[in-house]
Amino acid sequence: MPAMSRRWLVAALVPLVALLVACGGEQLPWADDFSDPASGWQAESDASAEVGYHEGVMHVLVRSPNLLAWTSAGREFSDFHLSVEATQVAGPDDNEYGALVRMKDANHFYIFSISGDGYYQVSKYDDGEREALSGDWAPSEAVHPGAATNFLEVVCQGVTMTFLVNGVTLAQVEDNSYPRGDIGLYAGTFFEPGVETHFDNLRVEEL
């Protein structure tokens, strides 16, 4: 993998969806296999990215460099255990994809990221600034590289958030900026476009 500094290029974070957060908490458990396009995920597409339901999965294709694109559930959660299957389908391995949690709005949320070249990071997006909570991008043998499926989990309990890949805990952080909010799924590019990721079998359970 090239020098770490390139990972600190601030991606042009494009809110391709409107975040519709429910007024109250959600009934748990809640699951979605993305077989029904009416299940409520907020997704839009344009020339730079394609986001939406596709043949039983949630499909995210990013066509432009230095860009993140996501979809959100339009729900609100506080303490929960989220799990989802994330599959890199195509594009350069120098990428990022994963889950967004406790999304206050389009400019305030936590990001659990893995990459096709086997790295991970936990960060916070705060009003235009991306702050690493787990340190710089770090390699892990738990991340399946390339065109492969990774099982992602996020456990949010109070100020403590734990992040796992394929059953292995990669990071645990504490932050009280966003105690509740929506959830999302995303993919992003760095220098090379064409990152395509599919998400399936999402489940959110009560702790």
Side-chain angles (χ1 to χ4, degrees):
M1 178 177 172
M4 292 294 98
S5 59
R6 69 182 294 183
R7 292 254 181 215
W8 284 102
L9 287 173
V10 178
L13 188 58
V14 175
L16 295 176
V17 299
L19 300 179
L20 303 180
V21 179
C23 294
E26 296 289 338
Q27 292 286 334
L28 295 178
W30 173 68
D32 197 345
D33 63 3
F34 303 107
S35 60
D36 181 6
S39 64
W41 287 77
Q42 315 302 314
E44 295 180 3
S45 301
D46 61 16
S48 63
E50 181 180 307
V51 185
Y53 297 85
H54 177 72
E55 297 182 351
V57 300
M58 180 56 68
H59 165 83
V60 183
L61 170 61
V62 187
R63 298 192 180 97
S64 299
N66 297 322
L67 184 74
L68 303 185
W70 73 79
T71 177
S72 63
R75 297 170 179 262
E76 184 175 282
F77 303 100
S78 178
D79 291 350
F80 59 90
H81 176 192
L82 177 152
S83 61
V84 66
E85 296 171 8
T87 303
Q88 178 180 323
V89 177
D93 290 340
D94 187 25
N95 61 28
E96 61 175 302
Y97 61 95
L100 313 178
V101 297
R102 290 182 168 174
M103 305 174 73
K104 180 181 177 181
D105 54 37
N107 293 304
H108 302 87
F109 48 82
Y110 299 106
I111 312 173
F112 181 32
S113 310
I114 63 172
S115 69
D117 48 4
Y119 284 68
Y120 73 92
Q121 186 184 58
V122 175
S123 54
K124 176 172 67 174
Y125 197 76
D126 183 7
D127 200 22
E129 297 293 332
R130 187 167 176 171
E131 174 189 350
L133 299 180
S134 64
D136 206 349
W137 286 85
S140 173
E141 294 183 355
V143 180
H144 299 156
T149 297
N150 285 280
F151 185 67
L152 309 182
E153 296 176 83
V154 181
V155 179
C156 294
Q157 188 165 28
V159 300
T160 303
M161 294 171 285
T162 306
F163 304 86
L164 305 89
V165 170
N166 300 318
V168 178
T169 299
L170 297 186
Q172 186 173 80
V173 303
E174 292 189 357
D175 191 273
N176 62 1
S177 299
Y178 317 132
R180 62 192 303 115
D182 205 352
I183 59 172
L185 304 169
Y186 91 100
T189 56
F190 292 100
F191 291 118
E192 297 180 70
V195 172
E196 183 177 2
T197 306
H198 290 172
F199 297 92
D200 202 3
N201 298 321
L202 178 136
R203 185 173 178 84
V204 183
E205 298 177 295
E206 189 173 4
L207 295 177

